Amino acid sequence: MQMERVPVNGHHPEEDGEQYPRPPSRRKKIVVVGLGMVGIAFIEKLLKMDSKRREYDIVVIGEESHLAYNRVGLTSFFQHRKVENLYLNPEDWYTNTSAGALDYHLNTMVTEIHTQEKLVSTSNGDTVPYDILILATGSDALLPRHTPGHDAKGVFVYRTIGDLQRLIDYADTVKETTGAVVGGGLLGLEAAKAMMDLETFEQVKLIERNRWVLSRQLDADAGGMVVDLVRQLGLDVLLSKRVGKIEVDEKNAVKGVVFEDGERMDCTCIMFAIGIRARDELARKASIKCADRGGGIVIDGDLRTSQKDIYAIGECASWESETFGLIAPGIEMAEVLAFNLTQAKVHAPRKFKRPDLSTKLKLLGVEVASFGDFFADRDGPKSLPIRSHAAKKQASGMPDVQEQMKIITNGPAPPPVKALTYKDPFNSVYKKYLFTVDGKYLLGGMMIGDTKDYVKLVPMVKNQRPLEVPPSEFILGAAKDGEEGGDDLTDDTQICSCHNVTKGDVAKAVKDGTCKSIGEVKSCTKAGTGCGGCMPLVQSIFNTQMRAMGNEVSNHLCPHFAHSRADLFNIISVKKIEDFSSLMKVAGKDAGSLGCEVCKPTIASILASLYNKHIMDKSLNGLQETNDKFLANIQRNGTFSVIPRVSAGEITPDKLIAMGTVAKKYNLYCKITGGQRIDLFGAKKQDLPDIWTELIAAGLESGHGYAKSLRTVKSCVGTTWCRFGIGDSVGMAVRLEERYKSIRSPHKIKGGVSGCVRECAEAQNKDFGLIATEKGFNVFVAGNGGSKPRHSELLAKDVPPDDVVPILDRYLMFYIRTADKLQRTARWMENLPGGINYLRQVILEDKLGICASLEDQMNALVGTFFCEWTAVLNDPKLRANFTQFANTTATLPVMENVEDRGQTRPAYWPHGKVTQDFRGTKWTSLAWQPMLETSYFADKADLPNGASAALKRGDTMLALFYLKGKYYATQQMCPHKRAFVLADGLIGDTPTTAVPLSDPKTGAAAGTSTGDSDLSLDTSSLYVSCPNHKRNFTLNGVDAGKCSNDADVSIATFAVEVRDDGWIYVKLPPVDELDAVLGTKKWITKANETEDPFKKLDAKLKGMRSKKVVGGAGEMGRRVGGFEVKVGGEGGGGGIDW
């Protein structure tokens, strides 16, 4: 299996053609000039996108002696003085790429571009050929060369590691003097902080020519507040000052500054941070078009320059006469160019668009942010939302000429913008938000001091969606402290604009119990399933509401484990734990606990997913739900359904006949399932082994319909028969079902394979689904039907058949490892950070480096497959569990049957539950009765998870439980639905207080020990959970017989003791009295108890069939409502054409 053929990011199948990966002789060479932040970003993205095709080899030439480092974090260099700490990639990253993919040169300057020869010359005399040239030369810090003294000793700029190192060295020679920074922009404030961090200058002064700092990001009020704040931090700020001259001493060292207004200031060191200029000199020398004003290499939306095969990105590039000094636009340019060079052949090329210049920084400890069109009120809006702009033009109603004349006469109108400002000088908070004149759209703004709303406001500007709340609420709501729980928002406030979800929608879903996890909130309300930008707010509202209801927001598995399912999976895997009791000792809250109906099946599933032992294995059997415990689905009458494997719905006539023969012999109800297989209902527990024997003899095996595992892989006939099919859907579905059958997972898994886009197998609502294309299969994941349907999402496109299995191996095992308890793939995907994009990165790109591990684990599981039915038949001890009663071979009916449509089915359940107080029954007398030999539990004595047996006494069914060396006895019937199933339920415990031995009034006992232990020392409340609807009945203590989650129902409990004669005795009333209260004949559901729900409908349908039909026997017509209805509209005149 060649994993290098797995498509990355769902790319076009061209990547899997014979021409890829390209041999070295056919690769193009890309030369990148500049190893700065943008240059390295381009290289990283190109290497990633080209990893499969290998169309390019890259040579990067860097002028500095260092590898690419983080210029944005230059200030931190003063603390650690290690340039390696700033490296964006470690040194070995450059050498660990694919052979020939990347070559780098440091301390080398490109001196000339030879466009005709496609060569670049370097400062060391070398020439490097290129097929594509990328200019990422960045920019230089401006130095005012017209200012006298600009070349003096002690004059610096703030741009590179070299600049900082020279400053450090010089500062040591002028300690306890004054240092100055010229420029009050972002770079200037950073430089001032750097100079202060040196702690060598007695004083640091900032010189700014404007009336406030950060004039390119903030208005006067905001900039003035920043000035006040940084002054409080020890920085002396001089405003409205321009440097006229730098004074020097006899050694040409700085000794002071003379301003243009004549004022003088002493200083020994000056750092200029007055801006940058694009480095375009290399391009100009090669006659590549550059901008006349402001400089920069002119590029178009594809990042192309005026010269073929030469591109420019980052600060050196001029797009629409504008250069960008921020890192974000450069990274965007790098991504667009890398994408177009690798994907444009099979995808639409991307265009570079106006970048978002929003910034959020912490300068000298002051929070500062600006976003969107933050100077729209001063310079006019760069653009307006379409609706707002149209409304404005419609309101004016004037032609363009008249509008122009009005401007000439009266002057320009004020910008169509309104500002909402909040200023708090006491807490140093300033906010200004800019809106359209109607207040419906947010255009931009700025913030000082309190910037926590930045993450919510930026998407509002980008999306340009009408606001659902008044502008004033932006200020008033944001001013509150604490978690962003939406407390400042009304219930009708829209928090998810993608799906128009309000805060009230989310709060209501949590309050009424519909949603108990963030995944359920997303599924129910759709909040966060669009762009995802609202998820922090949705999460906060969810957390706040849960806490308000007194609920802990936790993903712990249950009260017995302070870990999630995923955590426990890792613990079991790493520590190689193979049984429940060992895990409880390692990770449980109480090392001796029995667990509960939640954690037991979950742990059993994890153990099966890791080791694939038989689920009826001695160490696992007490953990299983009834379905797994007896390898068949328990039905409402206590019988079971049997579902043999019919892979992909493909079955031979002989196997069909065998199933029909078995069904007829055991009077089983037959039904075709939605997964294209046959379900045989009504099998008695004691008949299951014999039924399996006959089915296995016919070549069938367990279909695992009882398990949280793969159910089916549904298929259409595809190219096997269909004239429209373009892929062998049956062949693929058979292979997938045969591969993944029996593998346990957090919840059931269903698959589907369709042979063409007509999608007859409904593959797009499955946990995994394939749709055949001309070049393979499109792979869809994380869909499901059920109560909360979810359409699946495309994981990979046009995957060759050979590559489907490794992709699904990774996907399914990643789900098994990380999902929560009983979490379908749909809910898991909704909770997955980053959703489908993140899943693609993990599964297709191996972002986490675990793909090989995922495949190995799946291969190990697949290699351990065995038919669980066959294993039972071959083990007499396991087979002995399949009896109705442990103390007799006699049987009792559990529900009356009725004949319906030629088959036998159980009678309908009666309405309501039995509220009789069985627990409080006053028996006339009680006597010890020998009920079962102790040898029955001999091989179960060391089971940490308990064991049970159903007993027959007269016409009454009883349940006997054995756990922790003690016995407990109850009635077998659950009063909720009168189902005789309690002995098949899971046993659990809940920490409680000490309890006495028995209830003297009823004779019910807390349990009888096989040893000398004192039951009053028990600290656990034991219970059995009904397998049908999880009613939990207490087995011990003063509450024995009570139902902890339904106070209306209770059960009778009885004392138990073990005697030396080898028998287990139960203290029971006389048989007649016992049967009168608990007898099967009394409580069995009878056929005539509930009215047929279709009685009225059947009568109505019968009446409709008896109406006179228009015309003769050959006509398809009927008179309805006074006019004639004819199929196809025959006969004309007044008929409905169906």
Side-chain angles (χ1 to χ4, degrees):
M1 187 177 296
Q2 297 179 344
M3 287 315 300
E4 65 271 13
R5 295 190 62 212
V6 177
V8 178
N9 264 341
H11 288 333
H12 193 276
E14 183 182 341
E15 293 182 349
D16 299 290
E18 295 180 0
Q19 70 270 40
Y20 298 111
R22 283 188 174 172
S25 60
R26 295 191 57 208
R27 294 175 194 158
K28 291 183 178 181
K29 179 178 285 188
I30 293 180
V31 173
V32 181
V33 181
L35 189 53
M37 294 183 71
V38 174
I40 195 64
F42 169 77
I43 293 169
E44 290 171 348
K45 295 176 188 302
L46 188 81
L47 287 174
K48 183 177 180 180
M49 295 182 186
D50 190 45
S51 61
K52 187 171 180 58
R53 294 174 173 272
R54 290 294 281 111
E55 289 187 88
Y56 303 106
D57 287 335
I58 304 171
V59 176
V60 59
I61 304 172
E63 183 177 327
E64 295 187 62
S65 59
H66 307 292
L67 298 171
Y69 58 86
N70 181 8
R71 294 187 193 276
V72 178
L74 273 180
T75 307
S76 65
F77 180 74
F78 290 99
Q79 300 168 3
H80 51 71
R81 308 291 173 93
K82 295 180 180 179
V83 67
E84 293 80 7
N85 290 2
L86 293 175
Y87 281 173
L88 295 169
N89 293 296
E91 188 171 356
D92 58 4
W93 178 87
Y94 293 83
T95 56
N96 287 342
T97 55
S98 301
L102 176 63
D103 188 16
Y104 68 99
H105 303 272
L106 302 179
N107 210 22
T108 303
M109 178 183 288
V110 174
T111 56
E112 192 172 356
I113 303 171
H114 307 279
T115 57
Q116 296 302 315
E117 297 84 1
K118 285 195 167 184
L119 297 170
V120 296
S121 297
T122 67
S123 55
N124 57 17
D126 293 334
T127 57
V128 182
Y130 68 83
D131 294 299
I132 296 172
L133 182 65
I134 313 297
L135 300 177
T137 50
S139 59
D140 278 332
L142 286 176
L143 187 66
R145 300 187 184 279
H146 62 280
T147 302
H150 72 272
D151 56 350
K153 296 177 182 178
V155 176
F156 302 94
V157 292
Y158 185 82
R159 189 64 182 163
T160 67
I161 290 290
D163 295 332
L164 269 59
Q165 190 60 59
R166 286 188 289 273
L167 173 63
I168 291 170
D169 295 340
Y170 187 80
D172 287 337
T173 67
V174 291
K175 291 183 178 181
E176 303 303 321
T177 59
T178 297
V181 174
V182 181
L186 293 171
L187 197 62
L189 289 173
E190 281 290 318
K193 183 181 188 305
M195 197 172 275
M196 293 173 70
D197 287 344
L198 278 174
E199 297 182 348
T200 56
F201 294 101
E202 181 180 3
Q203 189 177 23
V204 176
K205 296 188 177 185
L206 180 72
I207 302 167
E208 167 58 35
R209 66 180 182 178
N210 292 305
R211 292 180 293 110
W212 65 89
V213 297
L214 298 176
S215 58
R216 297 191 65 177
Q217 287 79 30
L218 304 177
D219 61 12
D221 286 341
M225 183 173 286
V226 173
V227 170
D228 293 338
L229 288 170
V230 297
R231 280 175 173 165
Q232 294 172 19
L233 295 171
L235 178 65
D236 190 5
V237 182
L238 306 179
L239 300 174
S240 301
K241 293 290 186 182
R242 293 175 180 266
V243 176
K245 177 184 176 181
I246 299 173
E247 292 184 333
V248 298
D249 60 14
E250 63 278 2
K251 296 181 180 179
N252 197 34
V254 174
K255 69 175 184 178
V257 169
V258 178
F259 299 110
E260 289 183 353
D261 60 5
E263 189 176 340
R264 184 187 176 280
M265 180 188 79
D266 286 332
C267 66
T268 59
C269 180
I270 298 177
M271 180 177 288
F272 281 95
I274 57 176
I276 57 175
R277 180 177 177 83
R279 293 192 58 183
D280 58 8
E281 64 275 8
L282 188 62
R284 288 181 186 274
K285 189 176 179 180
S287 299
I288 297 172
K289 185 177 180 181
C290 295
D292 296 327
R293 184 177 179 183
I297 306 166
V298 175
I299 58 171
D300 61 13
D302 296 319
L303 294 313
R304 290 190 179 93
T305 68
S306 60
Q307 185 65 45
K308 183 181 178 183
D309 294 328
I310 298 180
Y311 300 81
I313 56 177
E315 293 174 353
C316 69
S318 175
W319 176 79
E320 294 190 357
S321 302
E322 189 173 0
T323 57
F324 303 100
L326 298 174
I327 186 61
I331 301 297
E332 176 69 12
M333 290 179 183
E335 184 170 330
V336 169
L337 182 56
F339 183 91
N340 288 345
L341 289 176
T342 58
Q343 309 302 312
K345 295 177 182 178
V346 292
H347 295 275
R350 293 173 56 180
K351 294 284 186 182
F352 179 72
K353 300 176 182 178
R354 179 162 295 280
D356 178 21
L357 300 181
S358 302
T359 55
K360 180 174 179 286
L361 301 168
K362 193 169 187 177
L363 301 169
L364 289 166
V366 180
E367 296 279 356
V368 178
S370 59
F371 63 93
D373 194 354
F374 44 83
F375 279 141
D377 57 337
R378 185 190 72 182
D379 304 332
K382 295 175 182 176
S383 64
L384 284 172
I386 295 174
R387 294 178 190 172
S388 180
H389 184 64
K392 177 179 176 291
K393 290 191 71 175
Q394 184 178 2
S396 68
M398 292 192 305
D400 293 340
V401 175
Q402 293 182 4
E403 211 166 299
Q404 292 172 5
M405 290 299 297
K406 186 175 180 181
I407 292 173
I408 294 172
T409 304
N410 303 325
V417 172
K418 286 186 177 181
L420 185 64
T421 305
Y422 173 83
K423 186 174 182 180
D424 178 3
F426 303 101
N427 294 306
S428 299
V429 174
Y430 177 85
K431 299 181 183 183
K432 182 166 77 171
Y433 301 150
L434 305 176
F435 300 86
T436 53
V437 289
D438 57 6
K440 291 296 184 182
Y441 294 88
L442 179 66
L443 300 177
M446 56 191 69
M447 294 177 273
I448 306 295
D450 177 9
T451 61
K452 69 182 180 183
D453 289 334
Y454 176 85
V455 293
K456 288 191 288 189
L457 299 181
V458 171
M460 291 183 184
V461 174
K462 286 183 177 180
N463 296 335
Q464 289 196 338
R465 296 183 184 275
L467 303 176
E468 296 294 327
V469 295
S472 59
E473 291 192 16
F474 281 73
I475 298 294
L476 299 176
K480 293 187 177 180
D481 295 329
E483 182 186 0
E484 298 174 70
D487 296 338
D488 56 330
L489 305 176
T490 59
D491 280 350
D492 61 353
T493 299
Q494 183 190 66
I495 60 170
C496 174
S497 56
C498 296
H499 292 286
N500 192 28
V501 181
T502 66
K503 174 195 171 184
D505 294 333
V506 175
K508 181 178 182 297
V510 178
K511 285 179 182 177
D512 64 15
T514 303
C515 302
K516 297 179 181 177
S517 69
I518 195 65
E520 290 177 344
V521 169
K522 292 173 70 175
S523 176
C524 293
T525 68
K526 300 300 180 185
T529 60
C531 68
C534 64
M535 275 312 299
L537 184 56
V538 173
Q539 180 75 60
S540 295
I541 293 172
F542 171 77
N543 291 346
T544 300
Q545 190 60 52
M546 289 290 283
R547 284 193 292 267
M549 296 167 62
N551 296 326
E552 181 182 359
V553 182
S554 169
N555 66 344
H556 293 171
L557 181 64
C558 72
H560 296 96
F561 291 96
H563 301 280
S564 67
R565 180 198 172 276
D567 293 336
L568 290 171
F569 187 101
N570 291 329
I571 292 170
I572 294 170
S573 177
V574 170
K575 295 183 178 293
K576 302 191 182 306
I577 296 170
E578 296 191 24
D579 61 80
F580 183 84
S581 57
S582 297
L583 177 65
M584 187 65 78
K585 292 174 184 177
V586 170
K589 293 182 178 180
D590 178 1
S593 176
L594 282 173
C596 64
E597 76 278 9
V598 175
C599 61
K600 281 184 170 182
T602 302
I603 302 307
S605 172
I606 293 174
L607 293 171
S609 295
L610 285 169
Y611 308 116
N612 206 25
K613 291 183 179 179
H614 198 293
I615 55 176
M616 292 187 68
D617 183 85
K618 187 175 180 180
S619 63
L620 302 177
N621 193 32
L623 305 177
Q624 306 295 344
E625 294 276 13
T626 304
N627 289 355
D628 277 310
K629 191 174 182 180
F630 295 108
L631 310 181
N633 287 55
I634 190 170
Q635 302 302 321
R636 62 186 180 85
N637 65 344
T639 64
F640 295 82
S641 66
V642 177
I643 310 177
R645 175 77 56 197
V646 181
S647 295
E650 184 181 65
I651 189 167
T652 65
D654 287 340
K655 290 179 180 178
L656 274 175
I657 292 170
M659 280 193 272
T661 301
V662 168
K664 207 166 186 179
K665 179 177 179 179
Y666 294 93
N667 194 27
L668 304 180
Y669 177 100
C670 300
K671 174 78 170 61
I672 306 296
T673 72
Q676 297 179 330
R677 52 186 182 177
I678 300 172
D679 205 340
L680 308 176
F681 291 87
K684 299 171 184 175
K685 186 196 302 182
Q686 58 270 28
D687 290 336
L688 287 174
D690 293 336
I691 292 172
W692 297 339
T693 299
E694 296 187 36
L695 293 174
I696 290 170
L700 293 159
E701 66 184 14
S702 168
H704 296 91
Y706 46 82
K708 294 292 186 285
S709 65
L710 177 75
R711 295 296 175 84
T712 65
V713 181
K714 188 176 180 178
S715 74
C716 64
V717 292
T719 53
T720 308
W721 287 97
C722 181
R723 67 186 188 278
F724 298 114
I726 56 175
D728 184 1
S729 52
V730 178
M732 176 59 77
V734 167
R735 287 163 175 79
L736 294 179
E737 186 161 344
E738 288 295 314
R739 179 168 181 79
Y740 301 122
K741 63 186 181 183
S742 87
I743 292 174
R744 263 34 181 216
S745 54
H747 210 296
K748 61 186 175 186
I749 299 173
K750 297 182 180 181
V753 183
S754 288
C756 70
V757 294
R758 287 172 176 80
E759 247 284 72
C760 295
E762 301 166 334
Q764 292 181 85
N765 72 348
K766 300 292 190 290
D767 297 283
F768 65 86
L770 309 180
I771 299 178
T773 68
E774 292 289 348
K775 299 180 180 180
F777 291 91
N778 287 345
V779 180
F780 295 84
V781 295
N784 68 253
S787 60
K788 299 176 182 176
R790 184 182 192 271
H791 213 61
S792 57
E793 297 184 63
L794 181 64
L795 176 65
K797 188 176 181 182
D798 292 322
V799 179
D802 289 350
D803 295 333
V804 167
V805 167
I807 289 177
L808 291 182
D809 279 0
R810 298 173 182 181
Y811 159 68
L812 291 173
M813 189 51 66
F814 188 52
Y815 161 65
I816 290 171
R817 283 187 182 183
T818 60
D820 204 352
K821 61 180 182 292
L822 296 179
Q823 188 176 48
R824 291 292 298 271
T825 58
R827 307 289 87 78
W828 171 70
M829 175 69 81
E830 290 168 354
N831 283 338
L832 202 63
I836 189 66
N837 291 327
Y838 175 73
L839 187 65
R840 289 192 188 109
Q841 292 172 341
V842 173
I843 302 304
L844 305 179
E845 300 172 15
D846 201 12
K847 177 178 182 178
L848 303 180
I850 61 172
C851 283
S853 170
L854 295 173
E855 292 178 49
D856 290 345
Q857 195 167 4
M858 181 60 78
N859 283 327
L861 281 176
V862 170
T864 59
F865 169 77
F866 59 90
C867 175
E868 292 167 342
W869 289 350
T870 303
V872 169
L873 299 179
N874 293 335
D875 188 331
K877 289 185 178 179
L878 292 180
R879 186 163 184 163
N881 291 313
F882 291 85
T883 59
Q884 185 177 15
F885 301 114
N887 63 337
T888 179
T889 57
T891 61
L892 287 174
V894 290
M895 186 178 286
E896 290 187 359
N897 292 321
V898 297
E899 292 296 319
D900 196 1
R901 297 181 295 276
Q903 298 197 84
T904 299
R905 64 162 177 81
Y908 290 123
W909 255 334
H911 299 299
K913 50 194 170 186
V914 181
T915 57
Q916 180 175 325
D917 183 14
F918 293 108
R919 176 175 177 268
T921 302
K922 300 296 189 289
W923 308 105
T924 58
S925 63
L926 294 168
W928 292 103
Q929 301 293 333
M931 294 299 297
L932 188 65
E933 290 186 88
T934 55
S935 59
Y936 180 85
F937 291 105
D939 63 335
K940 304 176 178 65
D942 57 347
L943 286 181
N945 310 309
S948 60
L951 306 176
K952 179 180 181 293
R953 171 73 171 170
D955 189 46
T956 297
M957 301 188 203
L958 301 172
L960 181 66
F961 304 96
Y962 175 65
L963 58 153
K964 287 189 173 181
K966 303 180 180 68
Y967 292 90
Y968 307 86
T970 72
Q971 66 188 60
Q972 170 76 331
M973 182 191 72
C974 173
H976 176 237
K977 288 292 185 181
R978 290 159 51 184
F980 299 86
V981 294
L982 288 183
D984 295 332
L986 278 171
I987 303 168
D989 64 9
T990 303
T992 184
T993 56
V995 293
L997 284 174
S998 63
D999 184 337
K1001 294 182 180 180
T1002 64
T1008 300
S1009 172
T1010 58
D1012 299 326
S1013 62
D1014 183 356
L1015 278 177
S1016 64
L1017 299 178
D1018 282 352
T1019 59
S1020 293
S1021 173
L1022 305 176
Y1023 63 88
V1024 60
S1025 184
C1026 173
N1028 279 354
H1029 300 104
K1030 303 304 179 189
R1031 294 309 195 267
N1032 295 340
F1033 296 97
T1034 303
L1035 296 177
N1036 63 341
V1038 295
D1039 290 331
K1042 283 186 178 180
C1043 181
S1044 62
N1045 49 8
D1046 187 346
D1048 294 335
V1049 295
S1050 67
I1051 59 173
T1053 60
F1054 304 95
V1056 187
E1057 71 175 20
V1058 178
R1059 295 186 180 177
D1060 294 338
D1061 60 1
W1063 281 81
I1064 301 169
Y1065 285 74
V1066 181
K1067 202 170 189 179
L1068 296 170
V1071 172
D1072 291 345
E1073 187 178 359
L1074 182 67
D1075 288 346
V1077 176
L1078 295 172
T1080 304
K1081 292 178 182 176
K1082 177 177 181 179
W1083 294 113
I1084 190 173
T1085 300
K1086 300 176 178 59
N1088 58 359
E1089 280 191 66
T1090 305
E1091 184 180 0
D1092 185 348
F1094 299 113
K1095 183 177 180 180
K1096 294 181 179 178
L1097 177 59
D1098 287 341
K1100 186 174 183 180
L1101 291 174
K1102 183 177 180 181
M1104 293 172 66
R1105 286 194 296 269
S1106 66
K1107 289 185 178 181
K1108 182 180 179 181
V1109 178
V1110 177
E1115 290 192 37
M1116 297 288 293
R1118 180 177 303 158
R1119 185 165 298 279
V1120 178
F1123 57 87
E1124 184 179 344
V1125 177
K1126 290 192 175 183
V1127 177
E1130 297 101 330
I1136 296 178
D1137 187 351
W1138 292 100

